[in-house]
């Protein structure tokens, strides 16, 4: 196996898979149960119309999960690394 291989035999492939599944779960949960999702972050949902704010975050998380899944299927190791670093830094700001 050469240095460029990245697939099911690689530990980092499975770690990216765990992050991908987590982001997909958070995104779907935010759409299906916005009240529970926002309380999971320790924030109260003051008004029923505030669920749209939760949906914006859920949409972002769902996009990240779908995009990471696409990068995994295409086995794009470097692109996955760059995208994970960028979204991790972006999540800390938002």
């Amino acid at each position: 196996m050469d240095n460029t291989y990245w697939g099911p035999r690689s530990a980092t492939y499975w770690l990216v898979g765990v992050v991908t599944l987590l982001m997909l779960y958070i995104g779907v949960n935010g759409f299906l149960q916005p009240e529970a999702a926002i309380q999971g972050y320790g924030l109260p949902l003051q008004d029923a119309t505030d669920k749209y704010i939760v949906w914006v975050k859920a949409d972002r998380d769902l996009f990240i999960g779908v995009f990471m899944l696409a990068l995994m299927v295409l086995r794009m190791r470097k692109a996955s690394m760059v995208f994970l670093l960028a979204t991790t830094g972006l999540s800390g700001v938002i």
Side-chain angles (χ1 to χ4, degrees), residues 42-61:
L43 301 171
L45 193 62
Q46 300 294 337
D47 191 9
T49 59
D50 291 344
K51 68 181 175 183
Y52 297 111
I53 296 170
V54 179
W55 286 352
V56 169
K57 184 187 179 322
D59 186 40
R60 182 197 69 170
D61 293 339

Side-chain angles (χ1 to χ4, degrees), residues 37-77:
I38 196 70
Q39 289 174 355
Y41 292 109
L43 301 171
L45 193 62
Q46 300 294 337
D47 191 9
T49 59
D50 291 344
K51 68 181 175 183
Y52 297 111
I53 296 170
V54 179
W55 286 352
V56 169
K57 184 187 179 322
D59 186 40
R60 182 197 69 170
D61 293 339
L62 197 57
F63 169 78
I64 290 171
V66 169
F67 193 73
M68 286 302 301
L69 184 64
L71 292 176
M72 280 184 65
V73 168
L74 296 173
R75 294 186 178 167
M76 299 179 77
R77 178 181 56 178

Side-chain angles (χ1 to χ4, degrees), residues 6 11-21 68 72 80-81 84:
W6 191 63
T12 56
Y13 183 83
W14 292 106
L15 290 173
V16 170
V18 168
V19 171
T20 299
L21 289 176
M68 286 302 301
M72 280 184 65
S80 297
M81 178 193 67
L84 275 175

